[in-house]
């Protein structure tokens, strides 16, 4: 899963970079940067996802992406077909938010599966105080 998140990080950074000529880049650059950052954490520092604050942040990001997906869901019939999304900005934006939600879901699954790994076992009674 670590390699998958590394690939996702690179892909979402590329998505951020290609938004430079988008009229609403100010919205989409941060939208794509969020999963890039979480996938980067999952790749470079996977143990951090087990921390409560990080897990809550990732969960909130995923909930936000799911809400955005519901909000931007394309209304065009066959929006996944090239002829439709090639012509419809709304279909492209809805599909972009779906990609963000899917990427965050993969990272969240990796964090959930990796919970407890890469963390040392407690060492005695006062181990909580020493960490």
């Amino acid at each position: 899963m670590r390699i998958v998140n590394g690939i996702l990080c690179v892909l979402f950074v590329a998505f951020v970079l290609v938004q430079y000529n988008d009229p609403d880049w100010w919205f989409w650059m941060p939208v794509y940067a969020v999963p890039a950052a979480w996938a980067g954490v999952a790749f470079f520092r996977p143990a951090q996802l087990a921390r409560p604050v990080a897990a809550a942040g990732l969960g909130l990001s995923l909930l936000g992406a799911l809400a955005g997906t519901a909000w931007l869901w394309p209304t065009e019939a066959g929006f996944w077909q090239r002829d439709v999304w090639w012509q419809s900005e709304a279909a492209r934006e809805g599909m972009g938010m779906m990609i963000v939600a899917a990427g965050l879901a993969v990272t969240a699954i990796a964090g959930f599966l990796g919970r407890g790994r890469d963390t040392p076992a407690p060492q005695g009674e006062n181990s909580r105080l020493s960490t």
Side-chain angles (χ1 to χ4, degrees):
M1 287 301 283
R2 192 170 179 182
I3 292 173
V4 170
N5 277 296
I7 292 168
L8 285 174
C9 180
V10 170
L11 286 174
F12 280 112
V13 167
F15 288 177
V16 169
L17 294 175
V18 298
Q19 297 304 311
Y20 74 93
N21 66 348
D22 194 313
D24 50 357
W25 61 267
W26 49 268
F27 177 77
W28 287 102
M29 279 185 163
V31 165
Y32 288 124
V34 168
W38 283 116
V41 169
F43 179 73
F44 291 107
R45 306 279 309 246
Q48 296 299 315
L49 294 179
R51 293 182 175 232
V53 172
L58 178 55
L60 286 173
S61 297
L62 180 56
L63 285 175
L66 292 172
T69 299
W71 182 264
L72 293 173
W73 192 268
T75 57
E76 294 88 351
F79 65 84
W80 58 88
Q81 296 173 351
R82 184 175 183 260
D83 292 339
V84 176
W85 60 259
W86 192 260
Q87 298 297 324
S88 171
E89 175 78 8
R92 285 191 301 274
E93 289 180 347
M95 290 171 49
M97 192 59 78
M98 291 176 208
I99 292 168
V100 167
L104 286 169
V106 168
T107 302
I109 290 168
F112 178 74
L113 293 176
R115 188 166 289 194
R117 294 183 190 167
D118 299 330
T119 56
Q123 303 292 323
E125 288 183 7
N126 294 328
S127 64
R128 184 175 284 175
L129 297 175
S130 64
T131 56

